[in-house]
Amino acid sequence: MAASKDPRPCSIADALALVGEKYSLLVLREVCLGNGRFDQLVRNIGAPRDILATRLRRLVDAGILTKRPYSERPQRFEYRPTQAGLELEPVLWTLKEWGDRHLRADSGTPMVLEHHCGNEFVPVVTCRACGEEARHQELTAHPQVPGWTVGGPAAA
Amino acid sequence: MAASKDPRPCSIADALALVGEKYSLLVLREVCLGNGRFDQLVRNIGAPRDILATRLRRLVDAGILTKRPYSERPQRFEYRPTQAGLELEPVLWTLKEWGDRHLRADSGTPMVLEHHCGNEFVPVVTCRACGEEARHQELTAHPQVPGWTVGGPAAA
DNA sequence: ACCGGTGAGTAGGAAATTCGGACTCACCAT
DNA sequence: ATGGTGAGTCCGAATTTCCTACTCACCGGT
C-alpha cells in the first residue's frame, strides 16, 4: 500500500528523476550533437568537472549513454547516446522550440536544425492516431491509479 | 565579446534555466491538469512547501503561470498556466511518452491521455515543413554563433 | 465566544549538493 | 626534461534542499 503522502505516480516524474538534474539534458544535447568527450562536455556545458562525472555515471547506468574508448594507449573515452538516449531527443527539440520562441524572439536562435526534407526543422507534436497537431484543450487526462484525480480543464 | 569559458549559447539551456529546477515541470504538470492550488501542489508533487513557494514565484515571474484568486474572503489562490505555459506542455507529453516506454514497460502508464479524435494520445514529433516523423539521423545541426561547432553524427 | 479545520504560506536549523580550483595519472611530443 | 592533453578526483566554501513547526486569516459548528 502506498503511504498516502506519496506524490502522484507519474512517468514524467520518473523520467525527470533520471534526467532532470541540472546539466543532464545538456549532456544529452552535446552527446547528440556528437561532442561526447569529457573536456568538450565541460567546456560546452559549463558544468563543474566533478558534477559532470557523476552525471555521466548516472546516465550510463540508466542506459541513456554508453562510454566507449575511441583510443587505447592513451586511453580516451567518448560518450554516445544509446537508443533510449536518442529517443529522448524529441524532448530537447521541443524545449529548443519553446526557448527559441519565448526567450529568443529578438536575438534569434543560436542553432538551426535542418531536416532532410531540405527545410528548417521546426518540431510539431502530433497525435499518433489521427496525425493532428496536439492542443491542450483537445486532450483529456485519465488517471489509471485509484485515488488520483485531476481537476477541470486548466485553460489560461 | 563572450568570455571564452562561457558555455554554448543555447535555447535548451535557457529554457532549462527557467523550468529545469527540481519540481518546476511537475508544477506545470499539475497546473495543466487543473490542480493549481498550493496544497494540492504540495500533495501531488511531494515538494517541500517553501521550495514550492519559491518555484511558483519564479514561474509566475517568468510568465509561465499566473496566480489568481478564486475566492476573496477568505483569500484563496490558484495557479494556472499562461499561454507560454501551455506551449511548454508538449515537453511534458514527450517526457511522459519516453517514461512510459522506457521506465514503465511492465507496470503500465499511470495516466492515459485521450485525444479528441477518440484515440489514446501518443505524441509524435514531426517536421512542420514536411509532416514526417523526425529522426535523429535525418537532422543536421547548424550553429549560428561563430566559435561553436558540432561533431559528426552521433548514432549509437 | 470557543474550538477545530483549511488554505497559503514563513521560519529556522540540519543535511545534502554544488562550485571552483587545484591536483593526479597516464601518455605523447619536442 | 619539459610541456601539453584527456579524463577524471579531491577539498573546503558557498548554496540549496529538506523537514518540522509555526503563523495568519477565515469559516463552521455548538
Side-chain angles (χ1 to χ4, degrees):
Chain A
M1 67 209 70
S4 80
K5 68 194 249 295
D6 284 352
R8 180 195 293 279
C10 170
S11 302
I12 300 172
D14 294 354
L16 287 173
L18 277 188
V19 300
E21 292 168 301
K22 199 171 175 185
Y23 305 123
S24 292
L25 286 175
L26 299 183
V27 169
L28 186 66
R29 176 197 72 191
E30 286 301 317
V31 159
C32 285
L33 289 173
N35 303 121
R37 306 185 183 176
F38 191 85
D39 277 26
Q40 285 177 323
L41 293 169
V42 168
R43 277 189 278 281
N44 295 359
I45 295 170
R49 309 175 75 81
D50 55 348
I51 305 295
L52 183 62
T54 68
R55 292 293 182 275
L56 287 168
R57 262 190 292 273
R58 211 166 144 53
L59 292 170
V60 169
D61 288 354
I64 291 167
L65 303 183
T66 51
K67 176 182 184 175
R68 53 174 56 201
Y70 65 87
S71 143
E72 317 271 344
R73 332 215 48 69
Q75 280 226 313
R76 292 290 180 266
F77 303 100
E78 184 178 19
Y79 294 89
R80 286 166 161 277
T82 61
Q83 184 58 33
L86 286 177
E87 290 175 19
L88 256 178
E89 241 193 317
V91 173
L92 298 183
W93 300 331
T94 51
L95 265 177
K96 172 182 183 305
E97 234 292 278
W98 188 88
D100 282 343
R101 290 221 325 294
H102 291 276
L103 308 174
R104 300 244 174 201
D106 313 315
S107 52
T109 182
M111 171 92 71
V112 169
L113 296 179
E114 183 192 348
H115 192 238
H116 75 152
C117 73
N119 295 101
E120 175 174 348
F121 173 64
V122 177
V124 185
V125 178
T126 60
C127 170
R128 166 135 282 153
C130 73
E132 251 185 65
E133 178 169 355
R135 296 168 198 295
H136 172 78
Q137 69 275 14
E138 293 163 355
L139 292 170
T140 319
H142 300 290
Q144 305 294 296
V145 182
W148 290 100
T149 59
V150 297
Chain B
M1 68 209 70
S4 80
K5 68 194 247 301
D6 284 352
R8 180 195 293 279
C10 170
S11 301
I12 301 172
D14 295 353
L16 288 173
L18 278 187
V19 299
E21 291 168 304
K22 199 172 175 184
Y23 306 122
S24 293
L25 286 175
L26 298 184
V27 169
L28 186 66
R29 175 196 72 192
E30 286 302 317
V31 159
C32 285
L33 288 173
N35 304 121
R37 307 186 183 175
F38 191 85
D39 278 26
Q40 285 177 323
L41 293 169
V42 168
R43 278 188 277 280
N44 296 358
I45 295 171
R49 309 174 74 82
D50 55 350
I51 304 295
L52 184 61
T54 67
R55 293 292 180 277
L56 287 168
R57 261 189 293 273
R58 211 166 143 54
L59 290 170
V60 169
D61 288 354
I64 291 167
L65 304 182
T66 52
K67 176 181 184 175
R68 53 175 53 202
Y70 65 86
S71 142
E72 318 271 343
R73 334 217 46 70
Q75 280 226 312
R76 293 290 181 266
F77 304 100
E78 184 177 20
Y79 295 89
R80 285 167 162 276
T82 61
Q83 184 59 34
L86 287 177
E87 289 174 19
L88 256 178
E89 242 193 317
V91 173
L92 298 181
W93 300 330
T94 52
L95 264 177
K96 171 181 183 305
E97 234 291 278
W98 188 90
D100 283 342
R101 289 223 324 297
H102 292 277
L103 308 174
R104 299 249 174 196
D106 313 315
S107 53
T109 182
M111 171 91 71
V112 169
L113 296 180
E114 183 191 346
H115 192 239
H116 75 151
C117 74
N119 295 100
E120 176 175 349
F121 174 63
V122 177
V124 185
V125 178
T126 60
C127 170
R128 166 134 281 152
C130 73
E132 253 185 65
E133 178 169 355
R135 296 169 198 293
H136 172 77
Q137 68 274 15
E138 292 164 355
L139 293 170
T140 319
H142 300 290
Q144 305 294 296
V145 182
W148 290 100
T149 59
V150 298

